[in-house]
Amino acid sequence: HVQLVESGGGSVQAGDSLTLSCTHAEYTFGHCAMGWYRQVPGKERELVASIKPDGTTTYTDSVKGRFIISHDNAERTMYLQMNDLKTEDTAVYTCAAGRRMLTCVWNYWGQGTQVTVS
């Protein structure tokens, strides 16, 4: 049973930094990407950033230059370093991991962690 366990959310002020962690003891980060989604009430879930096992990363435009996604293989943990946070970054952040099927699909999800920027 794959579990993704997040930590690091909280309430901060605009301009502050925060780092989210997603630990995955049972999931092997070897083929499909892992990523961070966020969602605010009334809006669609948005893929914020993703990272592939080869280190390739993607970011949604609104966080480019401010957020950094990374992965520590030894710790089996994915991180999202969020710098210069803005009020519009307020959301529930959820880590996700892909499952290899015909292609990779987002199949595993964390419980979500609230980030509030005021």
Side-chain angles (χ1 to χ4, degrees):
H1 176 62
V2 173
Q3 282 189 306
L4 306 180
V5 181
E6 299 145 349
S7 60
S11 296
V12 297
Q13 293 189 333
D16 286 351
S17 297
L18 203 60
T19 298
L20 306 181
S21 301
C22 175
T23 301
H24 54 92
E26 305 90 357
Y27 177 80
T28 299
F29 183 50
H31 182 80
C32 298
M34 296 187 69
W36 289 95
Y37 278 81
R38 67 184 178 187
Q39 188 168 26
V40 296
K43 292 190 176 181
E44 289 190 2
R45 185 171 54 190
E46 173 187 35
L47 177 61
V48 177
S50 69
I51 185 168
K52 292 183 178 180
D54 66 1
T56 304
T57 58
T58 66
Y59 298 93
T60 192
D61 286 346
S62 63
V63 307
K64 286 179 180 177
R66 299 190 297 122
F67 290 12
I68 301 172
I69 189 171
S70 61
H71 187 272
D72 186 322
N73 291 333
E75 296 295 325
R76 301 181 78 89
T77 300
M78 177 179 63
Y79 300 95
L80 184 67
Q81 180 180 338
M82 304 183 292
N83 301 314
D84 189 24
L85 282 160
K86 305 178 185 300
T87 55
E88 52 264 40
D89 294 319
T90 295
V92 174
Y93 286 72
T94 304
C95 68
R99 179 181 178 183
R100 185 177 183 178
M101 302 180 77
L102 290 179
T103 61
C104 288
V105 296
W106 296 109
N107 192 73
Y108 306 107
W109 301 89
Q111 77 280 9
T113 185
Q114 178 71 45
V115 172
T116 302
V117 185
S118 60

